Amino acid sequence: MNMKTSFKRALALIMLLAVVMSFTGVDNICSDVNAAGKTYTLTKKKKGSKKVVKNKYGSDYIADFYTRDSIPSDVSSNLGSYNSLKFSVSVKVRGISKKGLKIIAYAMDSKYGSWKEVESGVIKKGKTYKLTLDINSYSSIGRLGIRIASPKKKCKGAKLKYTINYAKIVANGGGSSSSSSSSSSSASSTPNTELKYEMTGKTKDVAFADTPVGKHGALHLANVDGYKAPVIVDANGNKVNLRGASTHGMHWNEMTPYVNKAAFQSLRDEWGVNMVRLVNYVTQGGYTQGSKSKLDKATQNGVSYAKELGMYAIVDWHVHDSGTADPWSNIDDAKAFFKKYATMYKDYDNVIFEICNEPVNVKWYKDGKKDLYAYAKTITKIIRDCGSKAIVVCGTNTWSQDVDEVIGHEIKDDNVMYTVHFYAATHKDSLRSKVTKAYNAGIPIFVTEFGTCDASGAGGYDFDSADTWINLLDKYGIPYCNWSLCNKNEAASMLKSSCSKTNGGWTGSDLTRSGTWLVNTYRAHEEKEK
């Protein structure tokens, strides 16, 4: 058999292999039993071949082993019940003709809309590469696989010989195992991700005087005994604890429907939410890129619904895109936006202004001219000149993480706060230490966005870290708002992708694990306040 024929057969085996997956309980719920231990010799297809696939490096994959539609249905339908879910592969490189190749493990959900990958460094002969990809946010799987990528065009025509030691899905806790020991393990390891409160999907007839705004009215900052930094209080000087739910980008068709009175009322009545965050993306097809009218309508409707329900509302100027996340890039639009809404809502008790979501590539203070300090000072002055006394929240540098850099360069305004954003599986002690440093220096902090998962919004959960964060924020009197109210198929979403309800009426079966954690956490806080 010649090399060409051998290669064709090997590639056919890899590309078309109907991989048999075996269910083996909680620890290793799926494993590739056909590919493991086999050695493959691969040569990249010639340019122009129908098999060529472009990748993020701008060149071609030379191989693609994958398992498609091969996860047993009893596993696929229960993936969301596991505490930890990972795709794990081990590959030994036995021969390689050119330098510069990398191994990529990848996964897609069943809708082929959520792609994740993890890659090795440049591979070498004789080495074994183990890759693990967190797929905890997936409720079902469409494709898992290993790809060999060429980051440089000089790798065209490379030959590679490798062995797949294993390719498997590894799970921890929960799942569909009938073992009583795994069931008890799941219950004890996730005490805050099993719903503790009844959710009927029904709203309540609440008198305005008994709503959050009805009880507290307009908010402001003040020094309160027991706290080292100013905290939010009401007209009577009583501390107010704000617990929020953030919309996703309101200009996207899939997200707009969640901005309605019934949805907000469900959050108020059954979730323990007293504040909504209305997200106006600046770029990414947002306010400055064709969606101004749509976002204006959503913002105004959102504030109106919140006002009727006695809830607080954050009007968010969502600077986000990494290429234009310096707020000075759209300063004229920001000035016009906040002049309009500060004038419109100057007499509203429930509005808070967030003037810059997650800036990057700009320091908080450099020279007081084109830095975040100067931007915040400029926009805050516009808001005050319009007659608004509302709380203003300023984004801090590095995706609103470097709040400690505000120390010594605060805006001279008694009603200004500074933003911290965290995602519990990514941001831990290092960021918490920044928060503590700023708080101890008297900086008033507002967490206008947080998630229970990693910073991508799509990775694994860390509910222990999320609990640690909430305990810290409560200790310091810092308000917080969770991302996000939608059914997008990612870990950060409050609702499962299978939930089509947008007008409230949600019950426990509609919630993601993050949504369940949120209801448990917020409702527990609400009960303490009664």
Side-chain angles (χ1 to χ4, degrees):
M1 185 184 297
N2 61 35
M3 178 64 182
K4 186 174 182 181
T5 302
S6 176
F7 162 69
K8 285 183 176 181
R9 290 188 178 182
L11 190 60
L13 175 64
I14 294 164
M15 296 297 292
L16 303 176
L17 186 62
V19 180
V20 179
M21 307 296 268
S22 60
F23 182 70
T24 59
V26 171
D27 293 329
N28 177 9
I29 64 174
C30 295
S31 62
D32 165 17
V33 297
N34 275 3
K38 288 186 171 59
T39 298
Y40 304 106
T41 301
L42 304 171
T43 303
K44 183 185 164 298
K45 287 285 188 178
K46 294 180 180 178
K47 191 172 183 180
S49 165
K50 293 181 180 179
K51 296 294 184 182
V52 168
V53 181
K54 293 292 182 181
N55 69 7
K56 69 178 183 179
Y57 298 108
S59 52
D60 307 319
Y61 291 115
I62 67 167
D64 186 356
F65 158 79
Y66 65 87
T67 66
R68 183 172 181 174
D69 299 327
S70 54
I71 308 298
S73 61
D74 61 336
V75 177
S76 181
S77 62
N78 288 286
L79 292 182
S81 65
Y82 291 102
N83 304 332
S84 171
L85 197 66
K86 300 180 186 295
F87 175 45
S88 183
V89 301
S90 172
V91 179
K92 181 168 184 177
V93 177
R94 298 190 177 280
I96 185 170
S97 64
K98 294 187 179 182
K99 296 179 180 180
L101 297 178
K102 296 183 178 183
I103 298 172
I104 294 176
Y106 69 91
M108 295 180 74
D109 64 15
S110 59
K111 296 180 180 179
Y112 302 104
S114 178
W115 172 279
K116 295 182 181 182
E117 65 178 42
V118 61
E119 65 178 43
S120 68
V122 174
I123 60 178
K124 298 179 180 179
K125 180 181 177 180
K127 298 287 187 179
T128 296
Y129 297 89
K130 296 180 180 180
L131 302 175
T132 300
L133 182 64
D134 196 321
I135 54 173
N136 216 46
S137 62
Y138 285 1
S139 58
S140 59
I141 294 172
R143 182 180 295 183
L144 300 170
I146 301 166
R147 281 180 165 164
I148 313 299
S150 166
K152 298 179 181 179
K153 290 185 177 180
K154 68 179 184 179
C155 293
K156 288 177 64 176
K159 294 180 181 180
L160 175 67
K161 187 175 184 179
Y162 66 95
T163 299
I164 300 172
N165 298 319
Y166 59 76
K168 60 189 177 182
I169 297 178
V170 180
N172 263 317
S176 57
S177 171
S178 59
S179 165
S180 59
S181 62
S182 15
S183 297
S184 61
S185 172
S186 173
S188 63
S189 62
T190 56
N192 207 21
T193 56
E194 293 182 4
L195 191 61
K196 300 176 182 178
Y197 297 88
E198 182 182 14
M199 291 185 67
T200 65
K202 299 178 181 178
T203 55
K204 302 172 184 176
D205 186 12
V206 180
F208 186 82
D210 295 324
T211 65
V213 177
K215 291 178 182 178
H216 301 292
L219 306 175
H220 66 280
L221 293 178
N223 291 304
V224 173
D225 288 345
Y227 296 97
K228 295 181 180 180
V231 296
I232 295 177
V233 300
D234 62 17
N236 298 316
N238 298 315
K239 182 178 173 301
V240 178
N241 303 309
L242 294 179
R243 299 176 298 275
S246 178
T247 70
H248 207 295
M250 299 187 298
H251 65 297
W252 284 311
N253 292 335
E254 300 89 343
M255 308 303 174
T256 306
Y258 292 96
V259 183
N260 65 80
K261 185 177 178 181
F264 290 1
Q265 188 168 358
S266 286
L267 294 175
R268 184 196 70 181
D269 293 351
E270 289 210 305
W271 292 53
V273 170
N274 57 20
M275 171 180 65
V276 291
R277 181 180 185 233
L278 305 170
V279 173
N280 292 267
Y281 270 76
V282 179
T283 54
Q284 295 171 267
Y287 204 86
T288 67
Q289 295 179 346
S291 296
K292 180 177 180 295
S293 297
K294 189 173 185 178
L295 284 168
D296 277 336
K297 181 178 179 180
T299 297
Q300 291 165 34
N301 285 342
V303 171
S304 178
Y305 300 142
K307 185 172 186 262
E308 291 176 42
L309 294 166
M311 301 174 75
Y312 293 94
I314 299 175
V315 177
D316 165 42
W317 185 246
H318 205 76
V319 174
H320 180 265
D321 184 45
S322 60
T324 55
D326 179 345
W328 287 99
S329 300
N330 294 289
I331 184 63
D332 290 338
D333 296 292
K335 288 179 178 179
F337 180 88
F338 286 105
K339 182 176 182 179
K340 172 164 62 176
Y341 285 115
T343 301
M344 186 179 296
Y345 298 134
K346 65 181 179 181
D347 297 321
Y348 280 48
D349 290 342
N350 71 319
V351 172
I352 296 167
F353 293 114
E354 182 178 1
I355 64 176
C356 183
N357 168 58
E358 289 183 351
V360 294
N361 301 322
V362 56
K363 288 288 187 181
W364 172 257
Y365 189 88
K366 184 178 180 181
D367 55 14
K369 296 178 181 179
K370 286 287 185 177
D371 46 30
L372 289 175
Y373 170 85
Y375 170 83
K377 184 177 178 181
T378 299
I379 300 301
T380 300
K381 184 178 186 305
I382 288 172
I383 292 171
R384 300 297 181 233
D385 287 348
C386 293
S388 174
K389 297 179 181 178
I391 290 174
V392 174
V393 188
C394 306
T396 56
N397 44 308
T398 318
W399 295 282
S400 285
Q401 292 171 38
D402 294 338
V403 69
D404 54 321
E405 293 188 11
V406 173
I407 299 171
H409 299 289
E410 302 94 323
I411 304 299
K412 294 182 179 179
D413 186 296
D414 293 336
N415 251 11
V416 167
M417 303 181 76
Y418 304 89
T419 309
V420 168
H421 287 178
F422 73 84
Y423 282 81
T426 299
H427 306 119
K428 301 187 180 183
D429 288 345
S430 178
L431 184 54
R432 286 191 280 262
S433 67
K434 287 176 174 282
V435 171
T436 297
K437 180 180 179 181
Y439 167 78
N440 286 336
I443 303 298
I445 298 169
F446 200 133
V447 175
T448 54
E449 181 180 318
F450 79 91
T452 60
C453 57
D454 74 10
S456 72
Y461 299 112
D462 191 333
F463 296 111
D464 289 339
S465 176
D467 289 339
T468 299
W469 268 109
I470 295 301
N471 291 337
L472 183 75
L473 301 181
D474 289 343
K475 178 181 178 181
Y476 295 165
I478 295 172
Y480 37 85
C481 188
N482 182 250
W483 180 275
S484 68
L485 178 62
C486 70
N487 71 342
K488 185 178 180 182
N489 192 18
E490 64 179 15
S493 301
M494 300 176 194
L495 302 171
K496 292 178 179 177
S497 58
S498 58
C499 175
S500 60
K501 302 172 188 175
T502 58
N503 296 317
W506 301 297
T507 61
S509 61
D510 297 318
L511 306 180
T512 60
R513 294 171 64 212
S514 185
T516 300
W517 175 92
L518 190 73
V519 171
N520 287 341
T521 301
Y522 280 17
R523 288 278 292 270
H525 281 67
E526 186 179 52
E527 284 187 348
K528 291 179 181 178
E529 295 170 1
K530 292 181 179 179

